[in-house]
């Protein structure tokens, strides 16, 4: 089933690449897990981006996602807000089974001063939009970033990714701090 999840994510990414241009690569890790997300701005649209990501931990658990979001900026006297709202199709594969779902959510980044930002994300799929062996899916996190180069951010953060399965068991794929970098090209 893990090969199927990887194939779904890779197929989705390859379908998106034909209609979009490259935007950024975000990679984060800790001692037990790694996550990579590739995001694309869709040409000819106003703020539409698509992404595909994969998460893997040392328990051989796997989470893949393909998503679409709209984005914009909201200026305030205290700083700049970058906001993205949308959804993701997810595949979460762990020992109890494989869950599929449609998670709604978004990302926000607040920059009170140049080069420094505080951000977070939240995606949630309740029982009504979760299939297979799953009942619900959660993915949320926070991070503090620094723009090291015009095209590169480094950050530290915390995230929790979990899925409740039909058998009543909840798997926490990740619930820990991490370091990462986001490269724009």
């Amino acid at each position: 089933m893990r090969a199927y999840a990887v194939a779904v994510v890779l197929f989705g990414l390859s379908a998106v690449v034909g209609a979009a241009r490259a935007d950024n690569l975000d990679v984060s890790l800790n001692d037990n897990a790694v996550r990579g997300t590739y995001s694309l701005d869709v040409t000819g649209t106003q703020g539409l981006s698509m992404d595909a990501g994969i998460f893997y931990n040392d328990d051989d658990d796997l989470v893949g996602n393909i998503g679409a979001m709209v984005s914009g900026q909201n200026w305030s006297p205290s700083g700049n807000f970058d906001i993205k709202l949308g959804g993701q199709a997810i595949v979460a594969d762990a020992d109890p089974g494989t869950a599929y779902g449609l998670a709604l959510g978004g990302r926000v980044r607040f920059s009170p001063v140049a080069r420094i930002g505080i951000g977070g994300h939240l995606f949630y799929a309740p029982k009504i939009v979760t299939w297979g062996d799953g009942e619900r899916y959660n993915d949320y996190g926070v991070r503090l970033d620094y723009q090291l180069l015009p095209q590169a951010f480094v950050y530290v953060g915390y995230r929790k990714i979990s899925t409740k399965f039909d058998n009543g068991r909840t798997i926490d794929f990740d619930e820990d701090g991490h370091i990462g970098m986001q490269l724009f090209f």
Side-chain angles (χ1 to χ4, degrees):
M1 200 51 78
R2 294 182 209 300
Y4 175 74
V6 171
V8 167
V9 171
L10 292 178
F11 174 76
L13 181 59
S14 66
V16 169
V17 169
R21 64 174 175 77
D23 185 35
N24 71 74
L25 175 66
D26 188 332
V27 178
S28 60
L29 51 87
N30 59 35
D31 282 342
N32 305 311
V34 62
R35 180 181 228 170
T37 303
Y38 189 69
S39 298
L40 308 154
D41 288 337
V42 178
T43 57
T45 65
Q46 293 182 357
L48 178 65
S49 65
M50 301 187 83
D51 62 37
I54 195 148
F55 170 88
Y56 177 79
N57 66 20
D58 59 0
D59 291 330
D60 288 333
D61 298 331
L62 185 70
V63 178
N65 68 277
I66 299 170
M69 302 178 89
V70 294
S71 63
Q73 292 185 343
N74 185 351
W75 295 89
S76 78
S78 57
N80 181 31
F81 284 92
D82 291 317
I83 301 168
K84 293 184 175 190
L85 294 174
Q88 297 178 337
I90 60 101
V91 176
D93 187 41
D95 187 21
T98 303
Y100 307 92
L102 297 174
L104 294 180
R107 302 183 200 298
V108 65
R109 179 180 183 269
F110 174 65
S111 182
V113 296
R115 302 176 77 132
I116 296 175
I118 302 164
H121 73 275
L122 169 68
F123 289 94
Y124 175 66
K127 186 174 184 175
I128 191 72
V129 291
T130 307
W131 306 276
D133 301 315
E135 287 192 6
R136 81 182 37 89
Y137 170 82
N138 297 295
D139 178 356
Y140 59 86
V142 295
R143 75 188 210 182
L144 175 65
D145 65 48
Y146 177 74
Q147 187 176 9
L148 190 62
L149 301 168
Q151 304 87 4
F153 287 80
V154 293
Y155 60 88
V156 295
Y158 168 84
R159 70 176 159 234
K160 181 172 182 177
I161 304 170
S162 65
T163 300
K164 182 176 180 185
F165 287 90
D166 288 338
N167 65 4
R169 187 171 170 204
T170 298
I171 298 293
D172 291 328
F173 292 92
D174 195 18
E175 187 176 9
D176 208 345
H178 58 272
I179 60 169
M181 66 176 68
Q182 189 170 10
L183 308 174
F184 293 84
F185 42 92

